[in-house]
Amino acid sequence: MATTLIATAPPSTAQALHQALADAPGGAYPLLEAALGWHELRPSGWHRTDAPARATAVAHTATEVAATRLASLLSTLTWASVAPAGAGWRVEVPVGSYHRITRALTGAWRSREHVLATPGRSMDAHQAAVGLWRMALLVGSPELHPGALAVRVGSPATAQTLVVAARRLGLAALTDGPCDGRHAVRLLGRDQVHQLLGEATARR
């Protein structure tokens, strides 16, 4: 999935935002955050590892900061590295660990509804929601306008997860139907956008 810089911001501002997202603390659920990135960015044929190389790609990203963030989150499971791949970047893990890693990411992704549904004002659920949105902002083709923010993701499951995660943060997100295979998730209102970006970058 392609990642673009924020279209309406100066390049330096967009770059600074992406770097701040990539540098933010991992939070209580780093593997869940990684799982969203993996779900969006895993290569075709990801369930097969028939290459003789010592390392194989678990994800392809358009930007180095997104790849670096994902590799850092995966360090809770294994050694992971970032390598250039054409116009983008590969997040690589050892071939011998690949199936264990993808099973862990699959399990984390499947647990998202349970984690976000934790009753009451759970700090863990709050941190999980922040982490999901942080990764979405890194990989989901973000668009930022005055008083509005949107990310475009590749599956309805990811879009609905972001709507639920926003609700855990006290925010109201809306999702559009698919357009060119992408699903937009939108936040409207300066206060909502400011809160989300502040929490996602840990710079409120």
Side-chain angles (χ1 to χ4, degrees), residues 189-201:
R190 289 181 180 273
D191 290 346
Q192 290 207 108
V193 172
H194 179 78
Q195 178 186 334
L196 178 64
L197 294 182
E199 296 211 51
T201 59

Side-chain angles (χ1 to χ4, degrees), residues 30-98:
L31 193 55
L32 180 57
E33 182 179 338
L36 185 145
W38 171 75
H39 184 76
E40 287 290 296
L41 302 170
R42 59 195 179 191
S44 60
W46 63 269
H47 54 286
R48 300 190 305 274
T49 53
D50 48 12
R54 295 173 59 187
T56 190
V58 72
H60 291 151
T61 77
T63 64
E64 186 177 9
V65 288
T68 300
R69 176 74 182 184
L70 184 53
S72 175
L73 295 168
L74 289 175
S75 68
T76 59
L77 289 175
T78 188
W79 168 84
S81 62
V82 174
W89 300 85
R90 288 161 51 101
V91 181
E92 297 181 336
V93 297
V95 168
S97 303
Y98 182 81

Side-chain angles (χ1 to χ4, degrees), residues 12-26 65 69 126 130 134 137-138 191-204:
S12 60
T13 302
Q15 183 178 4
L17 173 58
H18 278 83
Q19 193 63 58
L21 291 165
D23 291 343
V65 288
R69 176 74 182 184
H126 187 97
V130 171
R134 182 186 299 119
L137 288 164
L138 278 169
D191 290 346
Q192 290 207 108
V193 172
H194 179 78
Q195 178 186 334
L196 178 64
L197 294 182
E199 296 211 51
T201 59
R203 297 182 180 181
R204 298 192 65 177

Side-chain angles (χ1 to χ4, degrees), residues 133-160:
W133 266 98
R134 182 186 299 119
M135 182 56 68
L137 288 164
L138 278 169
V139 306
S141 302
E143 302 168 7
L144 186 61
H145 305 278
L149 176 149
V151 293
R152 298 185 183 274
V153 294
S155 76
T158 303
Q160 186 56 35

